[in-house]
Structures are given as C-alpha cells and as structure tokens.
Amino acid sequence: MEAGKLKSLGIFVPDNSVELLNDGKVLFNGKPAETPLKVGDLDIWKNYAGGTGAYTSWSGLIIYCTSQLQSCGFYIDGFYFGKTRGLLGTYNNEPYDDAMIPEGHVAPLTAAFANSWKVNPQCADGVVHEQPAPAAPQCTKLFSGDSSLRNCFAFANPEGFREACNKQVAEASGEAKEEAACNVAYSYVGHCYYVHFIKTRLPDHCGKCQVGSQTLHIGESAPVKIPQKEADVLIVVEQLEDNEEIFNHLISPLVSTLRNDFKEKGIVDVNFALIGYGAPDQQWLSVYTFNGEFNKFSGSAENIYFGKEQEISKPKLSDKLQEIKKILLNEIGFSKPAQAFQTAFNYPFRPEALKTIVGVMSSGCDSAILPFQTMRLLVHRINLLNSGVVLNMVTPLKDLSVDGKDEKAAANIVGFDSDAVYTQGEAKRKVLRGDEEALHKLKYTSDLCIELTLGTNGAVFSSSNFVKGKPNLRKNFLQVLSNKITDRLTGEELVNDCKCELERGMITKTKCTVTSRREKEPLARNIKGVKG
C-alpha cells in the first residue's frame, strides 16, 4: 500500500514471483516483463478492457485487476471452501470470522486484523480508522435512492461498500473525493456482475471517455472528422510455423514502412498493436504488450512463438471427434480465429484515428457448413463499415492465377481489392492505380474471410508470392502492401459520431459511427492487363 492505495499485487509460485504494479506494468522475479507471461502453471495476461489477469490451474486461482489496481477480483476453486485465511476472509459464507488472525482467533479491531497479516514484520503498522466515517454525500448518492446501482441492492447488500466509500471519500480531498466514491461504485458493479450475476451500471458521472482533446461522460457524444494526424494499426497473426517467415520478413518491416508512408501523408501519430493466436499449445489468444502497453508494437515481440500443427496420417476416433468439435466451434464463433478477430473488432481504436486491422493467416478460413458463420460475418461487415475500420488480409492464395496469362503474371501480383489488382511493378508509385482488367481475369479460391475483407473495402495480399520472391521482389511487395493500406485509409474523409458508452455496466468505451463519407479525387486507373 502507498498513501492508502494499492501499490502492487504479488503472486508467488514455486521458485518464482510475479508482481502486478499500479501503473499497469508487470514484474517477473523483480524485473520488468511483458505479457502474455507464462511461469510454470501461472499465466499472466492483459486485455483491451484495461485490466490484468492471472490464472493458475493447479491451484484453481484467478485474479483480475484494473490496470491501476483500483479494483481486484479473486476467484478460487471450491476445494478451498473453509480453508482460507487472510485479508480476504475465510471463504465459508460466515462473515463473523472473516477477521481471523494467523493465531486462529478473531481480531476485535480492524487494525489488529490488518496488521496481523503483514508479510514483512519490520514494516510499521498501518493506521486504520476504527470509527465509521461521516456519511459522504457522494456515497449517499451512489448507494441509496434512485442510484443506477439500485437494481442490485436486493441481491448484494451495499452497506459494506457504502461504509468503505465514506472512508475513502473522507481521506480524499477536492475532486479526488468524487473519484474515490466512483472507484467503490466500480467495485460494487463488478461484485454484482461476477458474483451475483446481476447486471447493473455505473452512474453516468463515474465514467469518462477521451475523444481527442474532449472529455465525454457516459451518454455524451461528439462529432469527429477523419483523417487528422493519427492512425491505429492492429495486426492479428496466426502463430503457426508457416507464418513465422511472413512475420519476421514482412510484418516486422511493415511497421516502419507504414509509419514512413503515413508520415508522408501528414499522419504522424501512428500506434501499432499485436494479437497472436492459433499455436497448437496456445490455450488463449495473446494480447502482446511492449513496455507494459499494448499499442507500442515496433516490429518485434520477444515472447511470440510459432508452432507446428500435428500431422495425423491415420485419424483415430478421437481425432475425428476433435475435427467435429472444431467445425462446430467455428460455426458458433468460438474457434481460435473467430475469437481472435472478434477481439480485434472490439479493439479500442482512438476515435480520431484512421483504423485498420491486418490479418495474417497461414491458411484461409474454414468453409461454412451451417448458416451461422455466414450470418455472423455479415454482422461483422456492417459493424466494421459503420465504425470506419478497414480489414486487410495476408493469406497464402496458393491457387492464384490470371486467365490467359502464365504463372509469372500471377507471381507478380501483390494483392487485390474489389476495384483492381496490384502488382510489384507499382512499388515506386506514391499512389497505386491498380489494374481493373486483371481483376476480371483473376482466379482464386475465395472464402468467408476474403469476402469479409473485400466487403469492408480492404485488400487481400498473397503471402505465397512474398515467400517465393527474391529479396528485391520482397522489397517491392512490402512497399506495395504499405502503399495500398495507407492509400485506402487516407483516400476518403469521414465524419464520425462518437459516443461514450458502458460495457458490462462498468467499462467505458467510445463507440464511433460513420455518419458521412466523401472520397477524395481518385487518380485514373490503369486499364492495361497484367504483364506476363
């Protein structure tokens, strides 16, 4: 603790320790570490809601904290019912003995209870005010009357939270009093949601969103014109062996290339983020951090790895059942790719930024058997268009060909969108023109991911052609890829209506909807065919 606030939270496993700091960073054995972090059976991760989590299966423990440790939730397996001690109580549904000290009896005073659980006996005793704090108007407003929290009062007694709120407000000063009260309200909403499964919501004045230089409270909105000087690029990589070369030699240099190309167009504040998924032993998708932040990807990630899928020559019954399970999960949206891209679609893009997602897949999307996947992708397409997010896809396209042309013509292709084909010959052009005629002759095996990409005005790029290319051709490929992404994003002017909203009743998020689009004057397209 420091000045009444939680400074850090330590998690100790055999021979190792992990510490969550109140600035959102993580320490592993006392040294800075990035997430996702795996220490034996302990997994540490971050999510885009601004929190840090820890999970260990051997002990049945889950911890989830907000980034600044204002609020933490602890979930333990029922095996420990009646077997716990410490500041979090005895976990036996009997409040009377929650203040038990290590010697085995209940402390008469809060100070004695709290100080009995000091890790370091040399530390000075903490000061605890035993007397109830005076009722604070900020807390009365939150925990009585017509508060937005009231629908949970019958399920979760608010008195303990109200008392904590009064004490927090009494120790704060000025504008910090309102913030202190709202932090307790946040904890109460989380308690209702995760413990009692009751959905309630923070009061509007407790949540804020930042839209450029404007601060919006929950329910408020503001118009935003794009482009300005910002861009957000989210890269989603399938962590399979086939993608390792693509990641190292195409995606990594793409970061600096895009940054330079954006700069030439006046976009000087560019953030990059990285999601990884799909390695055989990767239980969850990975939101990678860099110096503790998820939007500082510079082209390399120390803890990313690429695995090889197990080859099954003679499938057993269990293998066939696993394949059926995979198909079903894919249809209902719980497959690894579906979850990764769903997370990407919910990424907290800055309201004033140009927005794009670059997917890097080792193979195409699985075919849809039932209509659920098709319907879900249609919803995604509408949402992406409405939010101004452009999806681009880097995928093998191994059967790519051009009708009436030889293999060399197909190998020269970098990618295509719904308007034209783009080849390596355009690498030196600042604005790509594309080849409309070649698009009508282009042949490839389409899938739902390609259709979704084209439906969001994005482009599809052939990773197979990149892998087969020599160094100079790879350089051309990289430049065309970067030019296409920047041209598309800067090629139109948008006006968004951005509103501050709540997710799960407690997480503020700015939701932007495109209200108008105006394309900039396009250059004349090339009507010649692809060179053979």
Side-chain angles (χ1 to χ4, degrees), residues 442-487:
L442 196 64
K443 294 185 179 297
Y444 60 93
T445 300
S446 186
D447 60 39
L448 292 176
C449 289
I450 292 176
E451 292 175 10
L452 176 62
T453 300
L454 299 178
T456 66
N457 300 320
V460 180
F461 302 93
S462 173
S463 58
S464 296
N465 281 355
F466 176 82
V467 170
K468 292 183 291 187
K470 295 180 180 180
N472 62 318
L473 296 180
R474 287 188 173 192
K475 184 177 180 180
N476 291 342
F477 189 108
L478 170 63
Q479 191 59 63
V480 173
L481 169 61
S482 179
N483 284 347
K484 180 55 193 165
I485 291 175
T486 53
D487 283 357

Side-chain angles (χ1 to χ4, degrees), residues 88-108:
L88 299 182
T90 52
Y91 186 34
N92 60 3
N93 294 336
E94 295 290 350
Y96 83 92
D97 65 354
D98 277 344
M100 188 175 292
I101 65 175
E103 287 75 14
H105 60 267
V106 177

Side-chain angles (χ1 to χ4, degrees), residues 236-238 243 277 337 341 359-365 393-396 449 463:
V236 185
V237 178
E238 188 172 14
N243 263 346
Y277 75 95
F341 280 95
V360 186
M361 305 187 73
S362 65
S363 60
C365 285
M393 193 67 64
V394 179
T395 189
C449 289
S463 58

